Amino acid sequence: MSFITFLRSPTFALYAVSAWILSFLVVSGSQAHNNVSYLILLVPTLISLSFDEVKSFFQNRLAQWLLLVITSLVCSAIIGDGDPLQQIKFGLIVLLFFIAIARLPIIPDQYIYRAAWIFLVLICVYVTGNAFWQYLQGIWTLGMRLNNMHAKLENVIYVTNTMGGMLAIITLLGMQQRKFRDVLIAHALVLFFGLVLLQTRSIIGIWIATILLTYASLYRHHLRNLKIIGTIFFVIIALILAIIYILLSTSIGESLLARNVYRPEIWAGYIAETLRCGMIFGCGPEHNFQYISRDGHIMVHPHSIFVTQLYKAGIVGFFPLIMLTMLAVIQGYKAKSWAGWYFIVGALGVCFDGSSLIHSPSQRWLVFHLPLALLIAQQIRQIRMQDIGTVSTHKT
């Protein structure tokens, strides 16, 4: 096997992607993490790229909408504020990442289930370690919200959203494999870390979305045992009561409920700026604008990937992103895909926090690009398997 063939192999892709995911818990600093991403994933993909896999990738409908999202930002950079060559560079980086993920081998669901559990536990260890370090530094005590973490996965909201993605995978595959106790433990674990240590309100929305997905996709069709149904229902009620207790009767709840909800105000401010620039093409990827809230806080980005896309690329960029997201949600839900569930909760999270998606690798990629790329990879492999089956039938 030649070196280029090895770089293109599913085995290399599996180890490279796994190392890239784990790097978010180990490597600190944006430039250092970018260098690691290039070294272990993006550059190997670039030097081993083949025309056939590029062609196969862009035959996928989701990949086509992704290309339109990237193209809209290039156009807005030409018309508005921005460097089109830089947007092309960022777009190529994103596409290389998606193609690298598409090289992954077919992984059985039981291994995906274990991998999700391993990554969830590692995140819990990562959060606990950061809490202990901040406690020793005298900047955090139990009952306070944790400050930024000391690796690339630094923002508590993205930590929460990533844990929510793992929870969605564990819930779907665990319910299918009838590992109900493990699933309930995962729910309690994520809610504890999300509410008590990370103290993000987004975990409540993610948890509710996961419960609704579980009911709509699995409960009505797969559960008939009244004892199991009763136990699950009892645990869900207990978790709801625990959430209510934390919110209404503890200092953590006071902290969560006391924080101002800036999102509607921020979105209104950035949409108003978009209207001023021009709703069709937006303000451009590098337009210099910061929103100052009514109480004087400076907001450097819109805190939503969708409002960000509208602000930077106008309707021309907003429509492809909405279509990409809706199509991925519908296809992932219909296919009962673990990558689809991961994407659904990730997309929900970045509705309320996030900025540009077409940029160098960032923690946002863990909750949008990664699950979307995994979903596309599943669809590409499914088509390949169908083509192989068709060829085998003709030969027979």
Side-chain angles (χ1 to χ4, degrees):
M1 179 185 291
S2 68
F3 180 64
I4 297 299
T5 304
F6 170 69
L7 292 181
R8 199 179 291 148
S9 67
T11 300
F12 177 80
L14 181 62
Y15 285 106
V17 172
S18 299
W20 180 81
I21 293 172
L22 293 176
S23 70
F24 281 89
L25 306 180
V26 178
V27 180
S28 60
S30 295
Q31 189 56 57
H33 187 266
N34 286 347
N35 293 339
V36 169
S37 299
Y38 298 144
L39 179 65
I40 66 177
L41 193 60
L42 299 176
V43 171
T45 303
L46 178 62
I47 64 179
S48 60
L49 203 59
S50 70
F51 175 76
D52 287 341
E53 64 183 342
V54 173
K55 179 182 177 181
S56 175
F57 177 76
F58 284 113
Q59 287 175 342
N60 181 274
R61 185 64 59 83
L62 295 175
Q64 293 168 1
W65 281 110
L66 175 64
L67 182 60
L68 286 176
V69 171
I70 294 170
T71 303
S72 70
L73 286 167
V74 176
C75 292
S76 68
I78 295 172
I79 296 171
D81 295 332
D83 182 350
L85 291 179
Q86 187 176 42
Q87 291 306 308
I88 291 172
K89 181 190 76 172
F90 289 144
L92 290 175
I93 289 172
V94 171
L95 293 175
L96 279 173
F97 173 77
F98 273 74
I99 292 173
I101 301 296
R103 291 175 170 179
L104 285 169
I106 297 175
I107 306 174
D109 284 350
Q110 59 266 33
Y111 292 122
I112 295 294
Y113 178 77
R114 293 176 190 172
W117 258 114
I118 290 171
F119 193 44
L120 177 59
V121 170
L122 287 175
I123 294 176
C124 292
V125 172
Y126 171 69
V127 172
T128 304
N130 274 275
F132 183 67
W133 185 87
Q134 292 181 25
Y135 175 79
L136 293 178
Q137 297 294 312
I139 59 177
W140 176 84
T141 59
L142 187 62
M144 293 175 57
R145 189 186 200 188
L146 279 173
N147 295 289
N148 282 349
M149 310 292 165
H150 290 275
K152 185 59 178 176
L153 187 57
E154 58 184 352
N155 187 288
V156 294
I157 294 177
Y158 290 115
V159 175
T160 300
N161 292 347
T162 305
M163 294 180 77
M166 296 306 103
L167 178 63
I169 296 173
I170 290 168
T171 301
L172 174 62
L173 299 182
M175 295 292 283
Q176 289 177 345
Q177 298 171 29
R178 305 185 73 81
K179 296 182 178 181
F180 306 121
R181 183 181 301 173
D182 292 353
V183 170
L184 294 174
I185 291 172
H187 279 249
L189 191 65
V190 171
L191 284 172
F192 171 79
F193 274 85
L195 290 174
V196 176
L197 295 180
L198 301 171
Q199 292 189 18
T200 59
R201 290 172 292 206
S202 58
I203 190 56
I204 299 176
I206 287 172
W207 183 67
I208 292 173
T210 305
I211 294 296
L212 293 176
L213 279 172
T214 304
Y215 173 77
S217 297
L218 298 173
Y219 174 79
R220 292 177 297 172
H221 305 293
H222 293 277
L223 293 182
R224 294 292 183 269
N225 189 310
L226 292 178
K227 182 179 179 180
I228 293 174
I229 293 173
T231 302
I232 293 174
F233 180 77
F234 173 78
V235 173
I236 289 175
I237 293 298
L239 290 173
I240 291 174
L241 292 175
I243 293 172
I244 294 173
Y245 173 78
I246 289 173
L247 292 177
L248 299 182
S249 304
T250 67
S251 60
I252 293 172
E254 290 178 7
S255 175
L256 286 169
L257 296 175
R259 283 189 222 133
N260 290 333
V261 180
Y262 289 104
R263 298 301 187 271
E265 184 182 351
I266 299 169
W267 297 340
Y270 274 89
I271 291 172
E273 180 67 8
T274 306
L275 289 170
R276 192 189 68 78
C277 295
M279 184 58 76
I280 302 300
F281 290 100
C283 297
E286 297 176 29
H287 183 66
N288 186 20
F289 175 74
Q290 294 179 345
Y291 177 73
I292 302 176
S293 67
R294 286 174 293 180
D295 54 2
H297 286 282
I298 299 175
M299 307 299 177
V300 298
H301 64 83
H303 289 271
S304 169
I305 62 165
F306 300 102
V307 178
T308 298
Q309 186 71 6
L310 178 67
Y311 159 66
K312 291 188 173 186
I315 296 295
V316 170
F318 179 74
F319 180 72
L321 180 59
I322 287 292
M323 288 302 298
L324 169 65
T325 304
M326 290 179 59
L327 190 61
V329 167
I330 292 170
Q331 291 182 353
Y333 174 76
K334 285 184 176 180
K336 291 186 174 61
S337 161
W338 55 265
W341 279 39
Y342 181 7
F343 177 79
I344 290 169
V345 298
L348 176 64
V350 291
C351 279
F352 303 98
D353 209 299
S355 54
S356 177
L357 290 171
I358 311 303
H359 212 276
S360 297
S362 70
Q363 53 192 334
R364 290 184 297 279
W365 285 29
L366 280 177
V367 293
F368 193 91
H369 287 337
L370 178 59
L372 179 60
L374 289 167
L375 181 60
I376 292 174
Q378 287 180 344
Q379 295 176 353
I380 291 174
R381 286 195 296 266
Q382 185 178 12
I383 291 173
R384 286 174 184 166
M385 295 298 293
Q386 291 173 351
D387 291 342
I388 292 172
T390 302
V391 171
S392 300
T393 303
H394 287 321
K395 287 182 178 180
T396 304

